[in-house]
Amino acid sequence: MTGPMKTAAQPELLSERSNGVLTLTLNRPEVLNSLTVAMLAGLLDSLKKAEKDPTVRCVVLTAAGRAFCAGADLGDLRARQAQGAFSLGDELRLRFNPLIAQIRKIEKPVIGAVNGLAAGAGASLILSTDIKICAEKAVFINAFSKVGLVPDSGMTYFMPRFMGLSLALEHAWTAKPISAASALHYGWVNRVVAAEELAAAAAEIAEELAKSASLALGLTKRAMNRSLDNNFESQLEYEAQLQEILGKTNDHQEGLGAFLEKRAPKFTGE
Amino acid sequence: MSRPPAGCAKEIRTEAEGPVGLITLNRPSVLNALNHPLMEGLVGALEDFERAPSIGCIIITGNAKAFAAGADIKEMDHATTAEISRDPHLSRWDRVGKCAKPVIAAVSGFALGGGCELALACDMIVASETAVFGQPEINIGVMPGAGGTQRLTRILGKTRAMEMVLTGKRMTAREALAAGLVNRVVPVESYLEQAKKLAHEIAAQPPMAVRMAKEAVLKALDVDLDAGLALERRLFYSLFDTGDQKEGMRAFIEKREPKFTGK
């Protein structure tokens, strides 16, 4: 572990549970929540536990203070580079990639609530979430080119898929900041709200999803993930296989019954 | 020969679902490590299903987490060359690849080392999306010993087999599909169901034709083309003494569904 350790009362990563929603808050506001090794490990660990915990039905990822996340802690990185035997490739393989992969893999909705600046790996972190709600003052910066690197942590996977190749390359090459309004226009984020409404807006959608048929939401995420790499025929067959599985669930029967009886369904996740 | 009757070994569970024989490896606490009693039970069950006239296709499976994570290392870590080569254990493996009826491996989770070799000894593999295949023996100072180097090379070709065997690196289900190692990759919730579907489809085919066709396909890996073609022709001719050939061809001409009897 490197970087200053927080006291127990003020950890680098806050974790809070309510109504089936797990909220994870990056909490190093004094350094714009730049990511330390401990934070990355903490996020991954929390998401792995959430995956297995049936009482967690939705995850919100947000941050404390004026920024969401300035990316990797470059000071910490520099210090470790100076110690020698340092591989940026392994840094990604061991610390960043597993976290990004876990966000895509966990079969529960992950909502990114972007309270401010999201730069570098911080922007990647948001792009990897399922639904993004963004404060008006939020701004995305893809400044890897300014330090002579390629965008990483999934950025080159997500960017062309969200905004098309031309805009993706322009933003990656010029590091031009993307405002909340542009992010909405590009389809990077689902909606933009006033900063003071961000938490409520994220909680609202999170709680709604937490009440939904969780297996169906999970397999929908699996199918959409797969769709990004799949051809049409295979995707049709994949949908058929997932439907066969869900067709046998109680939630499907409950949903059908509720629809026919014109009442609100009560899903149990079974 | 001293083996318990199939279904008695607690290391495996067997069950017949109509014409499909299901063999489940049942040591979940050790990720189905393939120890002697398990392999003995597996081979016994396989032979019983092979003899049973009602069974047309066999499935070997584990559980969602592991098909089989390998041989039981604790049974061999102290053995010398002389001891391990006297052990009849590995020769049991040959029986799996020689079963006269089609065998499908329904694989989810780990299929490593002996587990991978067991899957490869089967005729077809239905994999869940979580399946991982690998031959990690090199990491513990040995090499595959139950068919891995031979069967992987026949399926993947020399270069890819070499990398897997020499690095011990694992292959994901989707990589395995692209490499032709598995027949299909399906969601983890339904891999066994999909394997059963395939097994029932095969079990509904005329059994003599299935048996001869399996023999011919397996021989293709071992003999030169002329010998293979000659064998194929002999097997093809031999089917013209079966009732199912008469029924199948007549049904085709009469544009109706055939009713096979296995005769």
Side-chain angles (χ1 to χ4, degrees), chain B residues 53-87:
Chain B
S54 62
I55 296 295
C57 190
I58 300 162
I59 297 173
I60 300 177
T61 193
N63 53 57
K65 219 169 148 195
F67 176 69
D72 200 329
I73 307 298
K74 286 188 203 120
E75 280 180 344
M76 54 175 124
D77 61 337
H78 290 301
T80 64
T81 295
E83 285 160 4
I84 194 93
S85 59
R86 273 199 302 273
D87 191 329

PDB file of all heavy atoms in Angstrom, chain B residues 53-87:
ATOM      1  N   PRO B  53     -28.846 -50.974 -23.646  1.00  0.00           N
ATOM      2  CA  PRO B  53     -29.401 -50.742 -24.977  1.00  0.00           C
ATOM      3  C   PRO B  53     -30.281 -49.492 -25.039  1.00  0.00           C
ATOM      4  O   PRO B  53     -30.424 -48.892 -26.110  1.00  0.00           O
ATOM      5  CB  PRO B  53     -30.257 -51.994 -25.241  1.00  0.00           C
ATOM      6  CG  PRO B  53     -29.938 -52.963 -24.142  1.00  0.00           C
ATOM      7  CD  PRO B  53     -29.347 -52.210 -23.019  1.00  0.00           C
ATOM      8  N   SER B  54     -30.848 -49.081 -23.896  1.00  0.00           N
ATOM      9  CA  SER B  54     -31.762 -47.936 -23.928  1.00  0.00           C
ATOM     10  C   SER B  54     -31.019 -46.606 -24.038  1.00  0.00           C
ATOM     11  O   SER B  54     -31.618 -45.571 -24.327  1.00  0.00           O
ATOM     12  CB  SER B  54     -32.612 -47.928 -22.654  1.00  0.00           C
ATOM     13  OG  SER B  54     -31.767 -47.791 -21.526  1.00  0.00           O
ATOM     14  N   ILE B  55     -29.697 -46.615 -23.775  1.00  0.00           N
ATOM     15  CA  ILE B  55     -28.939 -45.352 -23.766  1.00  0.00           C
ATOM     16  C   ILE B  55     -28.318 -45.095 -25.140  1.00  0.00           C
ATOM     17  O   ILE B  55     -27.634 -45.946 -25.699  1.00  0.00           O
ATOM     18  CB  ILE B  55     -27.826 -45.392 -22.694  1.00  0.00           C
ATOM     19  CG1 ILE B  55     -28.428 -45.513 -21.292  1.00  0.00           C
ATOM     20  CG2 ILE B  55     -26.921 -44.157 -22.781  1.00  0.00           C
ATOM     21  CD1 ILE B  55     -29.259 -44.332 -20.840  1.00  0.00           C
ATOM     22  N   GLY B  56     -28.578 -43.896 -25.673  1.00  0.00           N
ATOM     23  CA  GLY B  56     -28.061 -43.560 -26.998  1.00  0.00           C
ATOM     24  C   GLY B  56     -26.955 -42.524 -26.969  1.00  0.00           C
ATOM     25  O   GLY B  56     -26.220 -42.353 -27.942  1.00  0.00           O
ATOM     26  N   CYS B  57     -26.838 -41.793 -25.861  1.00  0.00           N
ATOM     27  CA  CYS B  57     -25.823 -40.745 -25.774  1.00  0.00           C
ATOM     28  C   CYS B  57     -25.514 -40.502 -24.301  1.00  0.00           C
ATOM     29  O   CYS B  57     -26.397 -40.638 -23.448  1.00  0.00           O
ATOM     30  CB  CYS B  57     -26.315 -39.466 -26.453  1.00  0.00           C
ATOM     31  SG  CYS B  57     -25.051 -38.209 -26.648  1.00  0.00           S
ATOM     32  N   ILE B  58     -24.270 -40.144 -24.016  1.00  0.00           N
ATOM     33  CA  ILE B  58     -23.829 -40.000 -22.622  1.00  0.00           C
ATOM     34  C   ILE B  58     -23.292 -38.582 -22.409  1.00  0.00           C
ATOM     35  O   ILE B  58     -22.621 -38.026 -23.288  1.00  0.00           O
ATOM     36  CB  ILE B  58     -22.732 -41.048 -22.309  1.00  0.00           C
ATOM     37  CG1 ILE B  58     -23.287 -42.469 -22.515  1.00  0.00           C
ATOM     38  CG2 ILE B  58     -22.204 -40.890 -20.884  1.00  0.00           C
ATOM     39  CD1 ILE B  58     -22.216 -43.548 -22.668  1.00  0.00           C
ATOM     40  N   ILE B  59     -23.604 -38.024 -21.242  1.00  0.00           N
ATOM     41  CA  ILE B  59     -23.057 -36.699 -20.885  1.00  0.00           C
ATOM     42  C   ILE B  59     -22.178 -36.859 -19.649  1.00  0.00           C
ATOM     43  O   ILE B  59     -22.576 -37.523 -18.693  1.00  0.00           O
ATOM     44  CB  ILE B  59     -24.183 -35.695 -20.561  1.00  0.00           C
ATOM     45  CG1 ILE B  59     -25.063 -35.452 -21.788  1.00  0.00           C
ATOM     46  CG2 ILE B  59     -23.608 -34.371 -20.060  1.00  0.00           C
ATOM     47  CD1 ILE B  59     -26.288 -34.589 -21.484  1.00  0.00           C
ATOM     48  N   ILE B  60     -21.010 -36.247 -19.686  1.00  0.00           N
ATOM     49  CA  ILE B  60     -20.190 -36.146 -18.477  1.00  0.00           C
ATOM     50  C   ILE B  60     -20.172 -34.678 -18.077  1.00  0.00           C
ATOM     51  O   ILE B  60     -19.893 -33.806 -18.907  1.00  0.00           O
ATOM     52  CB  ILE B  60     -18.749 -36.640 -18.711  1.00  0.00           C
ATOM     53  CG1 ILE B  60     -18.750 -38.113 -19.141  1.00  0.00           C
ATOM     54  CG2 ILE B  60     -17.912 -36.468 -17.437  1.00  0.00           C
ATOM     55  CD1 ILE B  60     -17.362 -38.661 -19.468  1.00  0.00           C
ATOM     56  N   THR B  61     -20.496 -34.402 -16.811  1.00  0.00           N
ATOM     57  CA  THR B  61     -20.515 -33.006 -16.372  1.00  0.00           C
ATOM     58  C   THR B  61     -19.988 -32.884 -14.951  1.00  0.00           C
ATOM     59  O   THR B  61     -19.765 -33.889 -14.268  1.00  0.00           O
ATOM     60  CB  THR B  61     -21.930 -32.407 -16.495  1.00  0.00           C
ATOM     61  OG1 THR B  61     -21.854 -30.983 -16.353  1.00  0.00           O
ATOM     62  CG2 THR B  61     -22.879 -32.961 -15.446  1.00  0.00           C
ATOM     63  N   GLY B  62     -19.762 -31.638 -14.529  1.00  0.00           N
ATOM     64  CA  GLY B  62     -19.352 -31.365 -13.153  1.00  0.00           C
ATOM     65  C   GLY B  62     -20.396 -30.469 -12.527  1.00  0.00           C
ATOM     66  O   GLY B  62     -21.577 -30.800 -12.525  1.00  0.00           O
ATOM     67  N   ASN B  63     -19.992 -29.315 -12.036  1.00  0.00           N
ATOM     68  CA  ASN B  63     -20.971 -28.336 -11.550  1.00  0.00           C
ATOM     69  C   ASN B  63     -20.616 -26.978 -12.165  1.00  0.00           C
ATOM     70  O   ASN B  63     -19.659 -26.876 -12.933  1.00  0.00           O
ATOM     71  CB  ASN B  63     -20.970 -28.286 -10.019  1.00  0.00           C
ATOM     72  CG  ASN B  63     -19.575 -28.058  -9.461  1.00  0.00           C
ATOM     73  OD1 ASN B  63     -18.915 -27.076  -9.792  1.00  0.00           O
ATOM     74  ND2 ASN B  63     -19.093 -28.975  -8.636  1.00  0.00           N
ATOM     75  N   ALA B  64     -21.409 -25.950 -11.821  1.00  0.00           N
ATOM     76  CA  ALA B  64     -21.223 -24.652 -12.476  1.00  0.00           C
ATOM     77  C   ALA B  64     -19.808 -24.110 -12.254  1.00  0.00           C
ATOM     78  O   ALA B  64     -19.232 -23.464 -13.122  1.00  0.00           O
ATOM     79  CB  ALA B  64     -22.255 -23.658 -11.959  1.00  0.00           C
ATOM     80  N   LYS B  65     -19.227 -24.401 -11.093  1.00  0.00           N
ATOM     81  CA  LYS B  65     -17.938 -23.827 -10.740  1.00  0.00           C
ATOM     82  C   LYS B  65     -16.758 -24.594 -11.353  1.00  0.00           C
ATOM     83  O   LYS B  65     -15.728 -24.009 -11.670  1.00  0.00           O
ATOM     84  CB  LYS B  65     -17.796 -23.827  -9.215  1.00  0.00           C
ATOM     85  CG  LYS B  65     -17.130 -22.599  -8.669  1.00  0.00           C
ATOM     86  CD  LYS B  65     -17.274 -22.580  -7.169  1.00  0.00           C
ATOM     87  CE  LYS B  65     -16.061 -21.907  -6.550  1.00  0.00           C
ATOM     88  NZ  LYS B  65     -15.962 -22.162  -5.121  1.00  0.00           N
ATOM     89  N   ALA B  66     -16.924 -25.908 -11.446  1.00  0.00           N
ATOM     90  CA  ALA B  66     -15.809 -26.711 -11.963  1.00  0.00           C
ATOM     91  C   ALA B  66     -16.311 -27.951 -12.675  1.00  0.00           C
ATOM     92  O   ALA B  66     -17.134 -28.687 -12.136  1.00  0.00           O
ATOM     93  CB  ALA B  66     -14.870 -27.117 -10.832  1.00  0.00           C
ATOM     94  N   PHE B  67     -15.805 -28.154 -13.888  1.00  0.00           N
ATOM     95  CA  PHE B  67     -15.965 -29.448 -14.540  1.00  0.00           C
ATOM     96  C   PHE B  67     -15.028 -30.399 -13.799  1.00  0.00           C
ATOM     97  O   PHE B  67     -15.474 -31.329 -13.133  1.00  0.00           O
ATOM     98  CB  PHE B  67     -15.594 -29.335 -16.019  1.00  0.00           C
ATOM     99  CG  PHE B  67     -15.644 -30.630 -16.763  1.00  0.00           C
ATOM    100  CD1 PHE B  67     -16.865 -31.244 -17.011  1.00  0.00           C
ATOM    101  CD2 PHE B  67     -14.489 -31.242 -17.213  1.00  0.00           C
ATOM    102  CE1 PHE B  67     -16.916 -32.452 -17.705  1.00  0.00           C
ATOM    103  CE2 PHE B  67     -14.536 -32.444 -17.903  1.00  0.00           C
ATOM    104  CZ  PHE B  67     -15.753 -33.048 -18.147  1.00  0.00           C
ATOM    105  N   ALA B  68     -13.758 -30.132 -13.849  1.00  0.00           N
ATOM    106  CA  ALA B  68     -12.767 -30.802 -13.016  1.00  0.00           C
ATOM    107  C   ALA B  68     -11.493 -29.982 -13.067  1.00  0.00           C
ATOM    108  O   ALA B  68     -11.011 -29.626 -14.144  1.00  0.00           O
ATOM    109  CB  ALA B  68     -12.501 -32.221 -13.501  1.00  0.00           C
ATOM    110  N   ALA B  69     -10.970 -29.631 -11.887  1.00  0.00           N
ATOM    111  CA  ALA B  69      -9.821 -28.724 -11.838  1.00  0.00           C
ATOM    112  C   ALA B  69      -8.502 -29.459 -12.004  1.00  0.00           C
ATOM    113  O   ALA B  69      -7.448 -28.852 -11.940  1.00  0.00           O
ATOM    114  CB  ALA B  69      -9.839 -27.933 -10.540  1.00  0.00           C
ATOM    115  N   GLY B  70      -8.551 -30.781 -12.223  1.00  0.00           N
ATOM    116  CA  GLY B  70      -7.305 -31.500 -12.480  1.00  0.00           C
ATOM    117  C   GLY B  70      -7.259 -32.831 -11.773  1.00  0.00           C
ATOM    118  O   GLY B  70      -8.232 -33.248 -11.145  1.00  0.00           O
ATOM    119  N   ALA B  71      -6.115 -33.493 -11.911  1.00  0.00           N
ATOM    120  CA  ALA B  71      -5.913 -34.751 -11.200  1.00  0.00           C
ATOM    121  C   ALA B  71      -5.747 -34.433  -9.717  1.00  0.00           C
ATOM    122  O   ALA B  71      -5.569 -33.274  -9.339  1.00  0.00           O
ATOM    123  CB  ALA B  71      -4.672 -35.447 -11.735  1.00  0.00           C
ATOM    124  N   ASP B  72      -5.839 -35.449  -8.883  1.00  0.00           N
ATOM    125  CA  ASP B  72      -5.635 -35.222  -7.458  1.00  0.00           C
ATOM    126  C   ASP B  72      -4.141 -35.304  -7.169  1.00  0.00           C
ATOM    127  O   ASP B  72      -3.561 -36.382  -7.084  1.00  0.00           O
ATOM    128  CB  ASP B  72      -6.420 -36.268  -6.640  1.00  0.00           C
ATOM    129  CG  ASP B  72      -6.622 -35.787  -5.212  1.00  0.00           C
ATOM    130  OD1 ASP B  72      -5.736 -35.050  -4.708  1.00  0.00           O
ATOM    131  OD2 ASP B  72      -7.648 -36.115  -4.612  1.00  0.00           O
ATOM    132  N   ILE B  73      -3.521 -34.120  -7.035  1.00  0.00           N
ATOM    133  CA  ILE B  73      -2.061 -34.039  -6.899  1.00  0.00           C
ATOM    134  C   ILE B  73      -1.587 -34.779  -5.649  1.00  0.00           C
ATOM    135  O   ILE B  73      -0.504 -35.344  -5.611  1.00  0.00           O
ATOM    136  CB  ILE B  73      -1.618 -32.547  -6.831  1.00  0.00           C
ATOM    137  CG1 ILE B  73      -2.176 -31.747  -8.010  1.00  0.00           C
ATOM    138  CG2 ILE B  73      -0.103 -32.425  -6.795  1.00  0.00           C
ATOM    139  CD1 ILE B  73      -1.726 -32.195  -9.365  1.00  0.00           C
ATOM    140  N   LYS B  74      -2.450 -34.772  -4.623  1.00  0.00           N
ATOM    141  CA  LYS B  74      -2.044 -35.399  -3.353  1.00  0.00           C
ATOM    142  C   LYS B  74      -1.854 -36.901  -3.493  1.00  0.00           C
ATOM    143  O   LYS B  74      -1.234 -37.533  -2.652  1.00  0.00           O
ATOM    144  CB  LYS B  74      -3.092 -35.103  -2.275  1.00  0.00           C
ATOM    145  CG  LYS B  74      -3.015 -33.672  -1.784  1.00  0.00           C
ATOM    146  CD  LYS B  74      -3.935 -33.467  -0.586  1.00  0.00           C
ATOM    147  CE  LYS B  74      -4.310 -32.012  -0.451  1.00  0.00           C
ATOM    148  NZ  LYS B  74      -5.750 -31.804  -0.532  1.00  0.00           N
ATOM    149  N   GLU B  75      -2.418 -37.474  -4.562  1.00  0.00           N
ATOM    150  CA  GLU B  75      -2.254 -38.919  -4.746  1.00  0.00           C
ATOM    151  C   GLU B  75      -0.923 -39.250  -5.404  1.00  0.00           C
ATOM    152  O   GLU B  75      -0.569 -40.412  -5.538  1.00  0.00           O
ATOM    153  CB  GLU B  75      -3.392 -39.475  -5.632  1.00  0.00           C
ATOM    154  CG  GLU B  75      -4.684 -39.696  -4.873  1.00  0.00           C
ATOM    155  CD  GLU B  75      -5.779 -40.255  -5.773  1.00  0.00           C
ATOM    156  OE1 GLU B  75      -5.648 -40.181  -7.011  1.00  0.00           O
ATOM    157  OE2 GLU B  75      -6.768 -40.771  -5.222  1.00  0.00           O
ATOM    158  N   MET B  76      -0.220 -38.237  -5.905  1.00  0.00           N
ATOM    159  CA  MET B  76       0.985 -38.577  -6.664  1.00  0.00           C
ATOM    160  C   MET B  76       2.224 -37.772  -6.347  1.00  0.00           C
ATOM    161  O   MET B  76       3.282 -38.025  -6.922  1.00  0.00           O
ATOM    162  CB  MET B  76       0.684 -38.498  -8.165  1.00  0.00           C
ATOM    163  CG  MET B  76       0.106 -37.190  -8.626  1.00  0.00           C
ATOM    164  SD  MET B  76      -0.050 -37.213 -10.416  1.00  0.00           S
ATOM    165  CE  MET B  76      -1.753 -36.863 -10.673  1.00  0.00           C
ATOM    166  N   ASP B  77       2.142 -36.823  -5.431  1.00  0.00           N
ATOM    167  CA  ASP B  77       3.300 -35.934  -5.278  1.00  0.00           C
ATOM    168  C   ASP B  77       4.555 -36.665  -4.790  1.00  0.00           C
ATOM    169  O   ASP B  77       5.663 -36.247  -5.082  1.00  0.00           O
ATOM    170  CB  ASP B  77       2.972 -34.720  -4.393  1.00  0.00           C
ATOM    171  CG  ASP B  77       2.554 -35.093  -2.990  1.00  0.00           C
ATOM    172  OD1 ASP B  77       2.088 -36.232  -2.803  1.00  0.00           O
ATOM    173  OD2 ASP B  77       2.691 -34.257  -2.083  1.00  0.00           O
ATOM    174  N   HIS B  78       4.389 -37.777  -4.076  1.00  0.00           N
ATOM    175  CA  HIS B  78       5.568 -38.492  -3.570  1.00  0.00           C
ATOM    176  C   HIS B  78       6.031 -39.622  -4.480  1.00  0.00           C
ATOM    177  O   HIS B  78       7.050 -40.243  -4.215  1.00  0.00           O
ATOM    178  CB  HIS B  78       5.273 -39.075  -2.179  1.00  0.00           C
ATOM    179  CG  HIS B  78       5.165 -38.016  -1.126  1.00  0.00           C
ATOM    180  ND1 HIS B  78       6.203 -37.148  -0.853  1.00  0.00           N
ATOM    181  CD2 HIS B  78       4.149 -37.659  -0.310  1.00  0.00           C
ATOM    182  CE1 HIS B  78       5.822 -36.313   0.100  1.00  0.00           C
ATOM    183  NE2 HIS B  78       4.566 -36.594   0.440  1.00  0.00           N
ATOM    184  N   ALA B  79       5.266 -39.904  -5.550  1.00  0.00           N
ATOM    185  CA  ALA B  79       5.557 -41.092  -6.357  1.00  0.00           C
ATOM    186  C   ALA B  79       6.872 -40.974  -7.118  1.00  0.00           C
ATOM    187  O   ALA B  79       7.292 -39.881  -7.503  1.00  0.00           O
ATOM    188  CB  ALA B  79       4.418 -41.336  -7.339  1.00  0.00           C
ATOM    189  N   THR B  80       7.538 -42.110  -7.316  1.00  0.00           N
ATOM    190  CA  THR B  80       8.718 -42.166  -8.189  1.00  0.00           C
ATOM    191  C   THR B  80       8.242 -42.564  -9.587  1.00  0.00           C
ATOM    192  O   THR B  80       7.089 -42.943  -9.775  1.00  0.00           O
ATOM    193  CB  THR B  80       9.705 -43.241  -7.699  1.00  0.00           C
ATOM    194  OG1 THR B  80       9.052 -44.517  -7.812  1.00  0.00           O
ATOM    195  CG2 THR B  80      10.128 -42.998  -6.261  1.00  0.00           C
ATOM    196  N   THR B  81       9.164 -42.491 -10.559  1.00  0.00           N
ATOM    197  CA  THR B  81       8.812 -42.891 -11.930  1.00  0.00           C
ATOM    198  C   THR B  81       8.315 -44.331 -11.958  1.00  0.00           C
ATOM    199  O   THR B  81       7.306 -44.653 -12.589  1.00  0.00           O
ATOM    200  CB  THR B  81      10.041 -42.742 -12.854  1.00  0.00           C
ATOM    201  OG1 THR B  81      10.366 -41.354 -12.926  1.00  0.00           O
ATOM    202  CG2 THR B  81       9.749 -43.258 -14.259  1.00  0.00           C
ATOM    203  N   ALA B  82       9.032 -45.202 -11.233  1.00  0.00           N
ATOM    204  CA  ALA B  82       8.646 -46.619 -11.215  1.00  0.00           C
ATOM    205  C   ALA B  82       7.239 -46.783 -10.643  1.00  0.00           C
ATOM    206  O   ALA B  82       6.400 -47.498 -11.196  1.00  0.00           O
ATOM    207  CB  ALA B  82       9.645 -47.420 -10.392  1.00  0.00           C
ATOM    208  N   GLU B  83       6.978 -46.080  -9.561  1.00  0.00           N
ATOM    209  CA  GLU B  83       5.662 -46.221  -8.921  1.00  0.00           C
ATOM    210  C   GLU B  83       4.538 -45.695  -9.799  1.00  0.00           C
ATOM    211  O   GLU B  83       3.519 -46.353  -9.979  1.00  0.00           O
ATOM    212  CB  GLU B  83       5.663 -45.494  -7.569  1.00  0.00           C
ATOM    213  CG  GLU B  83       6.411 -46.236  -6.486  1.00  0.00           C
ATOM    214  CD  GLU B  83       6.819 -45.322  -5.331  1.00  0.00           C
ATOM    215  OE1 GLU B  83       6.448 -44.118  -5.335  1.00  0.00           O
ATOM    216  OE2 GLU B  83       7.518 -45.804  -4.445  1.00  0.00           O
ATOM    217  N   ILE B  84       4.745 -44.501 -10.344  1.00  0.00           N
ATOM    218  CA  ILE B  84       3.650 -43.887 -11.117  1.00  0.00           C
ATOM    219  C   ILE B  84       3.375 -44.694 -12.384  1.00  0.00           C
ATOM    220  O   ILE B  84       2.237 -44.811 -12.825  1.00  0.00           O
ATOM    221  CB  ILE B  84       3.938 -42.388 -11.434  1.00  0.00           C
ATOM    222  CG1 ILE B  84       2.665 -41.678 -11.931  1.00  0.00           C
ATOM    223  CG2 ILE B  84       5.036 -42.199 -12.456  1.00  0.00           C
ATOM    224  CD1 ILE B  84       1.902 -41.002 -10.843  1.00  0.00           C
ATOM    225  N   SER B  85       4.415 -45.305 -12.968  1.00  0.00           N
ATOM    226  CA  SER B  85       4.184 -46.044 -14.209  1.00  0.00           C
ATOM    227  C   SER B  85       3.541 -47.411 -13.952  1.00  0.00           C
ATOM    228  O   SER B  85       2.960 -48.009 -14.849  1.00  0.00           O
ATOM    229  CB  SER B  85       5.484 -46.199 -15.001  1.00  0.00           C
ATOM    230  OG  SER B  85       6.430 -46.877 -14.207  1.00  0.00           O
ATOM    231  N   ARG B  86       3.643 -47.918 -12.706  1.00  0.00           N
ATOM    232  CA  ARG B  86       2.959 -49.173 -12.370  1.00  0.00           C
ATOM    233  C   ARG B  86       1.483 -48.943 -12.066  1.00  0.00           C
ATOM    234  O   ARG B  86       0.676 -49.849 -12.107  1.00  0.00           O
ATOM    235  CB  ARG B  86       3.613 -49.811 -11.129  1.00  0.00           C
ATOM    236  CG  ARG B  86       4.786 -50.712 -11.447  1.00  0.00           C
ATOM    237  CD  ARG B  86       5.066 -51.637 -10.278  1.00  0.00           C
ATOM    238  NE  ARG B  86       5.342 -50.938  -9.029  1.00  0.00           N
ATOM    239  CZ  ARG B  86       6.566 -50.515  -8.665  1.00  0.00           C
ATOM    240  NH1 ARG B  86       7.596 -50.742  -9.425  1.00  0.00           N
ATOM    241  NH2 ARG B  86       6.740 -49.900  -7.513  1.00  0.00           N
ATOM    242  N   ASP B  87       1.159 -47.691 -11.732  1.00  0.00           N
ATOM    243  CA  ASP B  87      -0.204 -47.350 -11.319  1.00  0.00           C
ATOM    244  C   ASP B  87      -1.176 -47.510 -12.497  1.00  0.00           C
ATOM    245  O   ASP B  87      -0.942 -46.950 -13.567  1.00  0.00           O
ATOM    246  CB  ASP B  87      -0.195 -45.886 -10.842  1.00  0.00           C
ATOM    247  CG  ASP B  87      -1.482 -45.500 -10.156  1.00  0.00           C
ATOM    248  OD1 ASP B  87      -2.533 -46.064 -10.526  1.00  0.00           O
ATOM    249  OD2 ASP B  87      -1.439 -44.627  -9.269  1.00  0.00           O
TER     250      ASP B  87
END
